[in-house]
Amino acid sequence: MQQEIDVDIHPVYPISWRASALNGLLRGTTKPISALLLRHEIGMELVARVMALGERLPLPPPAHVSIVKEDTTPSCSEWVRAGDDLDESKVLLYFHGGAYFFCSPATHRPITWRLSAAARRPVLAVDYRQGPVHPLSESLADALAAYQGLLDQGYEPADILIAGDSAGGHLTLATLLALRDRGLPLPAAAICLSPWADLSDSRRTVNRWVDPMLPASRVDWLARRWTAGLDCRDPLVSPVFGDYTGLPPLMVVTGSTEVLRDEGRRVARKARGAGVKVTYEEWRRMPHVFAILADVVPEARLVFGHIQRFLDAVAASSGASVSPPVPEPVPAGESPVLSVAADPPQPSLTGQGSDSAAA
């Protein structure tokens, strides 16, 4: 792939048996369970508790990865470092996903330690306040406070990256818009993995039946739940309606069969229309936030090489030094069965596509 920033990429690869099996497992478990439980606060509490137990289940990070709790706050925010040769003058601020009511920095370590390796810098994963106790405004306040805290520690804005997945992708976009509107210095770039960017009253129909993980009706229900009493088309509530003028380069990664796929497309289209350089990547038949599955799915590991390509392109465009590639070791007994080639850049993101074509 060339070192370009403003580009559409549709990776080409054979679907691994692990990805196919996981899609089937998600379709048979996560999707129907979510459809059943996400109807009232009792169900949300049960999901949150189960996921809290799940913090102990992900495979431990490699020995060269260090995880240190943030000592300046009483929260569970944590510093993640993939090695001891990182550029400590730079940092990546990460907002985890979880529909604004579950998950934590601990559940997203499969993403954060790999981001540290790709960006060659420490990652600060923020434990922001979530619902149903806390509204969206308090989540955003925590995100802005975390960014300001990095500035107060002496980090230059040009040495800060922001990233997030799903609800954390929403928080990433809202943080960028809020910083710009307040006249505060902006980070060098931002990365959104499967961003949940539209919390308006629009009913989701794209990929409604083919998404292996998310029931569209429950996403709609959560959007109504979090925006009660708010203007759901306020850009800080639904970033797809924002004006992206003046924002830094943006990378958006989605799966082709996600119900949230077109929200990522719309963000990319809106940002480009405002003059922002955008790398948009759509990965065939990958589930929501597939990067978190990198411990078990080969395709999920490949996306971090694409993220490094994007960051190197941003660095090259600003005259900064470019990091050498940092390949992830291939587990014993597993051949590197995938290679990825970029499709020619697409002319625009205006085409919506059909559900059946995305399957």
Side-chain angles (χ1 to χ4, degrees):
M1 290 178 290
Q2 297 179 347
Q3 276 202 339
E4 298 180 43
I5 303 176
D6 202 21
V7 61
D8 294 348
I9 297 175
H10 294 250
V12 178
Y13 47 86
I15 304 296
S16 69
W17 70 265
R18 292 187 181 186
S20 296
L22 189 64
N23 277 331
L25 180 64
L26 292 171
R27 189 180 300 278
T29 57
T30 302
K31 191 169 186 175
I33 291 173
S34 298
L36 176 66
L37 293 180
L38 296 184
R39 296 177 180 275
H40 41 67
E41 287 195 11
I42 295 177
M44 292 171 63
E45 177 67 21
L46 180 59
V47 170
R49 290 191 177 189
V50 170
M51 289 304 299
L53 293 174
E55 291 181 5
R56 303 180 179 90
L57 296 181
L59 297 175
H64 70 280
V65 175
S66 70
I67 298 171
V68 178
K69 296 296 182 182
E70 169 64 51
D71 58 5
T72 61
T73 68
S75 70
C76 294
S77 298
E78 59 187 32
W79 285 94
V80 181
R81 290 176 171 85
D84 54 8
D85 58 344
L86 306 180
D87 188 343
E88 293 289 338
S89 68
K90 300 180 179 180
V91 65
L92 188 151
L93 188 64
Y94 192 79
F95 306 125
H96 68 82
Y100 277 117
F101 75 95
F102 68 101
C103 287
S104 70
T107 61
H108 283 61
R109 288 171 185 166
I111 291 178
T112 52
W113 79 256
R114 289 178 171 89
L115 281 179
S116 175
R120 306 307 305 152
R121 66 186 69 196
V123 171
L124 176 59
V126 180
D127 185 40
Y128 57 89
R129 289 173 288 180
Q130 301 187 84
V133 176
H134 303 285
L136 293 178
S137 59
E138 292 185 356
S139 300
L140 179 57
D142 288 349
L144 293 170
Y147 183 81
Q148 184 62 54
L150 293 177
L151 296 178
D152 293 343
Q153 292 177 48
Y155 289 100
E156 295 294 331
D159 293 329
I160 301 175
L161 303 170
I162 298 182
D165 67 275
S166 193
H170 174 281
L171 195 52
T172 296
L173 295 171
T175 298
L176 290 174
L177 294 172
L179 290 173
R180 191 272 316 276
D181 292 347
R182 298 181 183 192
L184 295 173
L186 295 170
I191 302 164
C192 293
L193 307 176
S194 301
W196 185 23
D198 185 359
L199 275 66
S200 72
D201 52 4
S202 301
R203 186 171 179 268
R204 288 167 179 81
T205 57
V206 173
N207 288 338
R208 188 177 186 89
W209 305 114
V210 297
D211 187 307
M213 181 177 175
L214 299 180
S217 62
R218 297 306 89 201
V219 178
D220 293 340
W221 179 81
L222 282 169
R224 293 192 300 270
R225 175 72 175 75
W226 300 141
T227 60
L230 302 176
D231 176 4
C232 62
R233 293 178 179 257
D234 183 321
L236 298 185
V237 176
S238 292
V240 291
F241 300 108
D243 175 6
Y244 287 75
T245 301
L247 294 191
L250 179 65
M251 183 179 191
V252 178
V253 179
T254 68
S256 68
T257 53
E258 290 192 61
V259 296
L260 299 185
R261 181 198 67 191
D262 278 19
E263 296 178 32
R265 285 185 174 184
R266 290 163 63 194
V267 165
R269 182 171 64 245
K270 198 74 179 289
R272 279 182 178 157
V276 177
K277 293 182 178 180
V278 180
T279 292
Y280 174 79
E281 295 202 359
E282 189 172 303
W283 290 64
R284 184 167 60 95
R285 291 179 56 190
M286 289 296 105
H288 183 60
V289 193
F290 63 95
I292 202 171
L293 305 172
D295 287 338
V296 293
V297 175
E299 295 92 329
R301 291 193 285 275
L302 291 174
V303 74
F304 294 95
H306 286 229
I307 290 172
Q308 181 172 344
R309 183 212 64 84
F310 166 75
L311 295 177
D312 286 348
V314 170
S317 69
S318 65
S321 60
V322 175
S323 301
V326 184
E328 184 175 340
V330 177
E334 179 183 296
S335 61
V337 295
L338 299 178
S339 62
V340 174
D343 281 351
Q346 305 299 306
S348 71
L349 295 173
T350 56
Q352 297 301 301
S354 65
D355 290 1
S356 59

